Amino acid sequence: MANLKSLAKDTAIYGLSSIVARFINYFLVPIQTKRFNAAGGQYGIITNVYAYVSLLIILLTYGMETTFFRFMSKDGEDPDRVYSTTLRMVATTSLIFAAIVSVCIQPLANLMGYSDHPEYIWVMFVTVAIDAFVAIPMAYLRYKHKPFKFAGIQILNITLNIVLNILYLIVLPALKLNPFGIYDSNFTLEVVWVFYINIFCSFVKMLLLWKELEGIRFGFDKATCKRMLSYAWPLLVMGLAGQLNQAASQILFPYFYDGSPAEAHTQLGIYGACIKIAMIMVMITQAFRYAYEPFVFGKSKEQDNKDTYATAMKFFIIFTLLAFLTVIGYINILRYLVGESYWEGLRVIPIVMAAEIMFGIFFNLSFWYKLTDRTIWGAYFSGIGALVLIVVDILLIPRFSYMACAWGGFAAYGVSMILSYFAGQKYYPINYPLKEIAIYVTLAVVLFIIMNLANNHLPMWASLLANTGLLLLFLAFIIKRDLPLKSLPVIGKYFK
């Protein structure tokens, strides 16, 4: 229980920073979706380019975050040398990537459909090279259990991004100020300036980690590098395949949409804006991952580790279901996070959120092959899931537009989750409380159906009131069954 409390504490800190950072980042959505109307397709360009970026960050970190944690806690390894070697490896590959992009920028722009705007590609791809390098000192902060510095840098970075977006997209046009000549006569701003802001913020983030970057002085160990790469390459394949489940739809959509390129970017922008509301699941999964990864590797030698993993899985599912119901219950308020011209895409939110819950479960299941050094299995599962997604997208996007993207992700994560569970029960069996989990899932589905009916058939005030009651019912069920108030830290002493 003490270990779970430690995990809960770290998850709370990382989670708070992640939630605060994401909440701040949400301000980008109304700012950009109101500034860039859906019909213009600019937000579709942002969605499309960021999809490529999300894949490239996986490619350029090539599993080194997880590998770093594994080798830092491995017997016989020198932590200082492991950290320095990892830094030098990722720095070298990031520099090589940035150089290749600079030389091949026009062919890349042509291939991606932005032949008239190669600057989109250059700015964002160099940004991702900086972000990949910065990922290692950020992982080092997690290893050293410095969640407050980690959280501070994350929040500061996103706040700076928000402030600059507000300045360039709202304040300067409203004041009719054009100090750098970046606006046209109607004070319309090119979408590339969103990307310029990103690269500036990434550079500032790197400067804030100067102290952690001093660890590069411990040198490079060739033997350590080979061992780490041997462990990491299946994680790279798994990471790419896993990220394809999130990004492939946004990449493939312009190629397979049955309409003009401009209309494709309009529809993609609607999808990209609305799934931002569903990203609360990404916050929770990411917060859990930041704390859970070092926790699992640190606890792997203890006797009761499997019971702890099973309990952690149950509570992860419980609280992601609570988050799912919260978003559905208050969707009539949350929809104002995006411009009204994007509201037709709100129907994808429950599908995408359910898919993210399955991804979180898949992540929790993944530790059986990480702890047994069978990381190739993760590549198999993620690869099969990515294949499912791509097939669904190619076959159904021409007919069902962005709804195919939502259901493709749902199918992909579902397949990966199921395959990982059954293989894990063979090689690293854990007695997960399936019956208890099924009870919570069933209750959540029933409440979701009722909430959806309330949202569609009741006045806004009545639906909010009804859904609040249903949320309190679900919370009461959790407290009664698995989380008595007296067990909570600090406030528990006030309850019997």
Side-chain angles (χ1 to χ4, degrees):
M1 184 57 71
N3 285 306
L4 281 176
K5 286 183 178 180
S6 174
L7 173 62
K9 176 187 173 184
D10 281 358
T11 301
I13 297 172
Y14 289 123
L16 181 61
S17 67
S18 179
I19 289 171
V20 170
R22 288 275 182 173
F23 179 77
I24 297 171
N25 199 36
Y26 269 142
F27 284 110
L28 284 176
V29 181
I31 292 168
Q32 293 175 353
T33 56
K34 291 182 188 302
R35 179 66 175 175
F36 302 124
N37 190 276
Q42 293 98 327
Y43 199 78
I45 294 172
I46 294 173
T47 300
N48 183 242
V49 172
Y50 278 135
Y52 285 101
V53 166
S54 67
L55 281 176
L56 287 171
I57 193 68
I58 301 294
L59 179 66
L60 293 179
T61 52
Y62 45 96
M64 277 297 135
E65 287 180 271
T66 299
T67 302
F68 167 78
F69 286 119
R70 177 61 171 159
F71 277 74
M72 290 292 273
S73 60
K74 205 170 186 178
D75 292 338
E77 299 289 350
D78 179 359
D80 288 336
R81 186 60 63 90
V82 168
Y83 178 48
S84 180
T85 299
T86 308
L87 269 178
R88 294 185 180 215
M89 290 165 64
V90 178
T92 301
T93 50
S94 294
L95 285 171
I96 292 172
F97 173 78
I100 292 173
V101 167
S102 298
V103 172
C104 304
I105 186 63
Q106 192 59 54
L108 285 172
N110 296 341
L111 181 65
M112 293 170 61
Y114 298 112
S115 56
D116 294 335
H117 296 282
E119 66 273 16
Y120 295 172
I121 313 306
W122 182 86
V123 175
M124 287 311 299
F125 283 13
V126 171
T127 301
V128 82
I130 297 173
D131 288 344
F133 174 59
V134 166
I136 303 307
M138 290 297 284
Y140 184 71
L141 289 177
R142 291 160 56 199
Y143 169 75
K144 298 296 287 185
H145 297 290
K146 293 182 177 180
F148 291 106
K149 183 171 183 178
F150 179 96
I153 291 175
Q154 292 283 71
I155 293 171
L156 180 62
N157 176 257
I158 293 174
T159 301
L160 178 62
N161 199 334
I162 291 290
V163 169
L164 291 176
N165 268 269
I166 292 173
L167 177 65
Y168 283 96
L169 296 182
I170 296 177
V171 176
L172 292 179
L175 297 175
K176 302 297 183 183
L177 296 177
N178 194 2
F180 306 109
I182 61 176
Y183 302 98
D184 62 18
S185 58
N186 296 319
F187 275 84
T188 301
L189 188 66
E190 287 287 337
V191 73
V192 70
W193 282 92
V194 172
F195 304 145
Y196 286 143
I197 290 171
N198 252 30
I199 195 171
F200 175 76
C201 293
S202 293
F203 184 73
V204 170
K205 185 176 182 179
M206 183 172 65
L207 293 180
L208 292 174
L209 291 162
W210 65 270
K211 187 174 181 180
E212 284 67 34
L213 292 175
E214 290 179 352
I216 204 168
R217 71 181 185 276
F218 293 109
F220 178 82
D221 187 271
K222 187 175 180 181
T224 300
C225 172
K226 287 183 177 179
R227 290 194 299 273
M228 294 181 77
L229 288 175
S230 177
Y231 182 89
W233 76 263
L235 295 177
L236 168 61
V237 177
M238 179 182 69
L240 284 173
Q243 191 59 40
L244 270 173
N245 290 336
Q246 295 187 5
S249 295
Q250 290 95 308
I251 292 173
L252 293 173
F253 191 88
Y255 295 104
F256 292 95
Y257 179 74
D258 188 16
S260 67
E263 179 61 21
H265 280 121
T266 296
Q267 295 299 309
L268 182 58
I270 292 171
Y271 176 71
C274 289
I275 63 174
K276 289 293 196 307
I277 299 176
M279 288 299 103
I280 188 172
M281 287 305 165
V282 176
M283 296 183 209
I284 295 172
T285 302
Q286 186 181 59
F288 193 80
R289 175 193 166 198
Y290 283 154
Y292 199 51
E293 210 162 35
F295 169 82
V296 167
F297 286 124
K299 189 175 169 53
S300 59
K301 297 177 183 178
E302 297 183 19
Q303 294 297 319
D304 65 340
N305 57 348
K306 290 188 178 182
D307 291 338
T308 303
Y309 301 155
T311 303
M313 171 71 86
K314 182 179 78 170
F315 281 104
F316 172 81
I317 293 173
I318 288 172
F319 287 108
T320 51
L321 289 174
L322 178 61
F324 174 88
L325 292 174
T326 300
V327 172
I328 299 303
Y330 297 107
I331 191 64
N332 286 332
I333 295 175
L334 293 173
R335 64 183 177 177
Y336 289 99
L337 285 170
V338 301
E340 192 171 348
S341 61
Y342 295 82
W343 284 5
E344 68 177 76
L346 293 173
R347 54 192 170 146
V348 304
I349 290 174
I351 305 169
V352 174
M353 289 181 69
E356 288 296 336
I357 291 175
M358 290 190 290
F359 173 72
I361 296 171
F362 173 59
F363 173 80
N364 288 334
L365 292 170
S366 71
F367 282 97
W368 74 261
Y369 52 78
K370 292 177 182 177
L371 290 171
T372 58
D373 292 342
R374 291 185 173 97
T375 49
I376 187 63
W377 283 90
Y380 295 152
F381 303 143
S382 297
I384 293 171
L387 182 62
V388 169
L389 174 70
I390 291 170
V391 170
V392 171
D393 280 348
I394 291 174
L395 293 179
L396 300 184
I397 283 176
R399 183 174 180 183
F400 297 105
S401 187
Y402 53 74
M403 290 303 295
C405 303
W407 283 112
F410 183 93
Y413 286 142
V415 168
S416 298
M417 176 187 70
I418 292 169
L419 291 176
S420 183
Y421 171 76
F422 283 109
Q425 291 304 99
K426 178 179 179 180
Y427 292 103
Y428 196 81
I430 296 176
N431 187 27
Y432 292 109
L434 298 182
K435 183 178 178 180
E436 296 176 43
I437 291 171
I439 291 172
Y440 278 103
V441 172
T442 302
L443 177 59
V445 170
V446 172
L447 295 179
F448 162 70
I449 293 171
I450 299 172
M451 286 180 173
N452 215 33
L453 290 172
N455 290 333
N456 293 330
H457 299 288
L458 294 179
M460 182 174 175
W461 68 267
S463 68
L464 292 175
L465 186 62
N467 292 342
T468 299
L470 294 172
L471 279 171
L472 291 174
L473 175 64
F474 190 73
L475 192 58
F477 185 80
I478 296 172
I479 293 170
K480 177 69 175 176
R481 189 176 182 90
D482 282 296
L483 198 65
L485 295 176
K486 64 181 181 181
S487 68
L488 296 177
V490 183
I491 66 171
K493 60 185 178 181
Y494 299 109
F495 298 92
K496 294 183 180 180

